[in-house]
Structure formats: C-alpha cells, structure tokens
Amino acid sequence: MSSPHILLPGDQLALGQPRHEMLAEYHKWENDPGTILGYGNQFPQSWEVRVAGWERQRGNHNYPQFEVVRVEDMTPIGMTVLTVNQFVRTAEFVMVLAPEARGKGYAAEAARLTLDWGFHLGALRMIWLKVLEPNQAGITAYEKAGFKPSGRLRQSGYWLGQPVDELLMDALPADFPGPSAIRATQATDTP
C-alpha cells in the first residue's frame, strides 16, 4: 500500500489525497452502524454502488475529497468532503471517521483543516452542514471547528428509528478559529 499523499498537515491530523487502494476501508467506515445512524441513513450502501460512485466523484472538481490521516503514524482515520456550488462559492461539508477514531477529538481538527482549505485555498464564502439534533458529540466538534448554528429542518431526519430535527450549521471565513495551517505553511515556504 502506498503512503498517504499529505496535502495539509495539522497538529494531530493531516488532509491527504484519497486513494483508490483505500476504497474498501472507506466503504467499511461508511457502512458502520454508527456512521449510518449519524447520517440518518437506514441501510448500508452496496460495494458496487460505492465503486461506481468513486469514479464519478473523483472526476468531479466540485466534489473535493480529503483523506484524514493521523500524523503520528500516517494512518488514515477518515474522510472529509466539500460539495461545492461554484455559482455562489459555498459548499456543503460531510465527514466520516473510522469507528476506532471516534471520541478522541479528531472530528474538530479534521473539520477545521477542511474549513482552512475551503476558505484559504478554495476561496469559498461559506461552508455549511446538516447534523441530526441528537448527535451532540458532532455538534460540539463542529462548533470547535468554527461552525455556528444557522437553522433547523424539523423532523427531517431519523435517529434510532424516530423522526428528529436536522440542525443546519455554517461557517464564514471570519468564523475560522485559526491559526491557519495553510498560512503557517506559506509563511515558512516563501523566500
């Protein structure tokens, strides 16, 4: 297996280029019962659907994906995705973490690094997400990353088989909690 191609290093985590050879692992994370619960899905995605989606997604410049890598041992632990709307320069944020990486504080840093990329390299004006209201750990991580509550979709999701509200959260460049890993990298790379 090849080493991760790191795009943006952070403190504990880094954003890397997704790799086809990791697709089976990504699929496993996405079909974990905790992930399905957090996304409000009811059923797993088949391997065939995931493989077909990989090719479509990788060829779509409005769908940048990042492999989340633990810096200390270069182990992939998740993925983040921005679904970019080029007309208004906004994007929807989605994240999945490996089950064994949850509860360790990684979600906030992975989200912050993705915001850093989206605002400082992607020139996005706003990044938003939806999170199910019972997912308090996710909400806390997103707030630490710089997202703020911005709305509610009533009874639009499911949590443990029951209808629940989805909360909308968004972040503007001014909400970015810094320091920017991109700006720090550029300060040391320029002559």
Side-chain angles (χ1 to χ4, degrees), residues 66 81-84 88-94 111-120 122-130 146-148 150 168-173 175-176:
F66 302 97
V81 177
L82 294 171
T83 304
V84 178
V88 293
R89 303 299 307 152
T90 64
E92 180 180 8
F93 171 82
V94 177
R112 186 180 57 75
L113 285 169
T114 307
L115 287 176
D116 198 356
W117 187 284
F119 292 143
H120 300 125
L124 296 172
R125 295 184 311 116
M126 185 267 290
I127 299 173
W128 64 278
L129 61 84
K130 293 187 293 187
F147 285 97
K148 301 196 180 311
S150 61
L168 298 173
M169 301 180 80
D170 65 14
L172 302 173
D175 299 326
F176 184 75

Side-chain angles (χ1 to χ4, degrees), residues 10 19 23 47 53 112-113 128 136 143 167 170 179 187:
R19 297 172 286 159
L23 190 54
W47 173 248
R112 186 180 57 75
L113 285 169
W128 64 278
Q136 290 301 307
E143 287 174 338
L167 303 181
D170 65 14

Side-chain angles (χ1 to χ4, degrees), residues 136-185:
Q136 290 301 307
I139 293 166
T140 299
Y142 298 140
E143 287 174 338
K144 286 180 184 175
F147 285 97
K148 301 196 180 311
S150 61
R152 171 183 302 270
L153 299 172
R154 295 179 301 149
Q155 302 292 295
S156 63
Y158 281 94
W159 185 269
L160 297 175
Q162 298 300 312
V164 296
D165 291 358
E166 284 183 290
L167 303 181
L168 298 173
M169 301 180 80
D170 65 14
L172 302 173
D175 299 326
F176 184 75
S180 168
I182 291 168
R183 291 176 190 236
T185 301

Side-chain angles (χ1 to χ4, degrees), residues 42-116:
Q42 287 81 42
F43 302 101
Q45 181 184 64
S46 73
W47 173 248
E48 292 78 11
V49 168
R50 183 60 175 108
V51 169
W54 170 263
E55 294 306 323
R56 272 193 324 276
Q57 293 164 352
R58 297 303 300 149
N60 184 345
H61 72 280
N62 292 323
Y63 197 78
Q65 301 173 31
F66 302 97
E67 183 177 79
V68 178
V69 178
R70 192 172 45 226
V71 172
E72 72 175 313
D73 58 5
M74 289 293 148
T75 299
I77 62 155
M79 289 192 72
T80 62
V81 177
L82 294 171
T83 304
V84 178
N85 181 331
Q86 294 288 354
F87 298 108
V88 293
R89 303 299 307 152
T90 64
E92 180 180 8
F93 171 82
V94 177
M95 175 170 43
V96 62
L97 290 179
E100 60 275 8
R102 297 177 192 151
K104 299 181 189 234
Y106 294 145
E109 186 175 0
R112 186 180 57 75
L113 285 169
T114 307
L115 287 176
D116 198 356

